[in-house]
Amino acid sequence: MTTLIEAQYLPSIAYFAALRPAKKIILEKYEHYEKQTYRNRCYINTVHGRETLIVPLTAKHGKVPVAEVRIDHSQKWLNNHWRTLRSAYGKAPFFEHYSHDLEKVLFKKQEFLYDLNCDLLSMCLKWLNWDVSVEASLSYDPAPDQPISDLRSVINPKKAVNLSRFYHPARYYQVFGNTFAENLSLVDLIFCEGPKAAAIVQLSTTAK
């Protein structure tokens, strides 16, 4: 199966559950940027509960291809994100094992959001040990032909009802609290469960 999907920032477990059947992933490079989506934000678990990390963007990103959307590095978002991640997961069982990969990608200080998200996706796929090819779209196709599975904008914080199509939360160990927090960024699962993460993503595509 080939899946067409947008590049997201530190994608959620549902994102990877949706991609699990794919043998090839096509990342949408020519869509217009959509605000208030996972393209520039993710959710993690902290001592205060679910927290949103948002990558700030420059003002000029309306109606331009997503690959041209620039990150606003005048804001101290990188240090803030890294400090929040270390505070949330510094004592997680696998933080020290995986955190160097994440730090290296984040502090490359990519100019464009799309490039950062592509690097993060590659990192996550390596963590999961998935054998899947990834390539960029060559143009914008509003209605791609079969057998391409079009999942663009399906995994959206404003469209949570869509998740039940392919995501059924499988519980795993989390650092904070007794209440399980569903569908956080994959980093929550990786830092907490390490090599078991791929199996838990698989369970999340089938568990009822």
Side-chain angles (χ1 to χ4, degrees):
M1 178 188 292
T2 298
T3 298
L4 174 63
I5 198 166
E6 77 275 11
Q8 298 186 358
Y9 178 64
L10 291 175
S12 66
I13 298 170
Y15 183 93
F16 291 97
L19 291 178
R20 189 66 191 93
K23 296 299 182 184
K24 181 167 77 171
I25 299 168
I26 301 176
L27 291 177
E28 177 56 68
K29 190 175 183 178
Y30 293 94
E31 65 176 357
H32 285 169
Y33 177 77
E34 292 185 31
K35 296 180 179 179
Q36 298 182 340
T37 67
Y38 290 124
R39 289 165 179 81
N40 74 323
R41 71 192 60 211
C42 70
Y43 296 119
I44 63 169
N45 201 18
T46 74
V47 67
H48 304 294
R50 183 186 296 256
E51 185 164 332
T52 309
L53 299 181
I54 300 175
V55 179
L57 307 175
T58 61
K60 298 179 180 179
H61 56 259
K63 294 187 177 181
V64 299
V66 68
E68 298 177 13
V69 173
R70 284 180 164 82
I71 298 170
D72 184 358
H73 285 294
S74 69
Q75 301 187 41
K76 303 299 182 182
W77 72 274
L78 262 176
N79 290 333
N80 290 338
H81 282 205
W82 188 243
R83 183 169 57 250
T84 302
L85 286 162
R86 285 196 64 88
S87 176
Y89 298 111
K91 294 183 180 179
F94 295 93
F95 180 79
E96 291 301 326
H97 184 78
Y98 293 96
S99 61
H100 298 296
D101 289 344
L102 178 56
E103 183 179 20
K104 183 178 179 180
V105 173
L106 288 177
F107 284 90
K108 283 175 67 175
K109 294 189 176 180
Q110 291 279 17
E111 180 180 359
F112 296 98
L113 178 67
Y114 178 84
D115 293 335
L116 170 61
N117 288 349
C118 287
D119 285 349
L120 290 170
L121 177 60
S122 295
M123 177 194 70
C124 290
L125 293 173
K126 182 186 74 171
W127 283 348
L128 294 170
N129 198 28
W130 281 8
D131 183 16
V132 58
S133 65
V134 181
E135 60 186 54
S137 62
L138 300 177
S139 61
Y140 184 78
D141 186 347
D145 295 331
Q146 295 292 334
I148 294 176
S149 175
D150 185 359
L151 295 184
R152 292 173 296 184
S153 296
V154 170
I155 300 171
N156 188 311
K158 295 177 288 186
K159 302 175 184 177
V161 67
N162 290 335
L163 298 185
S164 61
R165 289 172 47 189
F166 34 71
Y167 173 64
H168 307 278
R171 290 176 176 267
Y172 58 89
Y173 165 79
Q174 291 180 325
V175 176
F176 299 108
N178 298 319
T179 302
F180 180 72
E182 298 180 359
N183 197 32
L184 299 171
S185 167
L186 185 76
V187 298
D188 183 82
L189 175 57
I190 284 287
F191 291 151
C192 292
E193 294 285 2
K196 295 180 182 179
I200 293 167
V201 171
Q202 178 64 41
L203 284 173
S204 296
T205 70
T206 57
K208 301 295 182 181

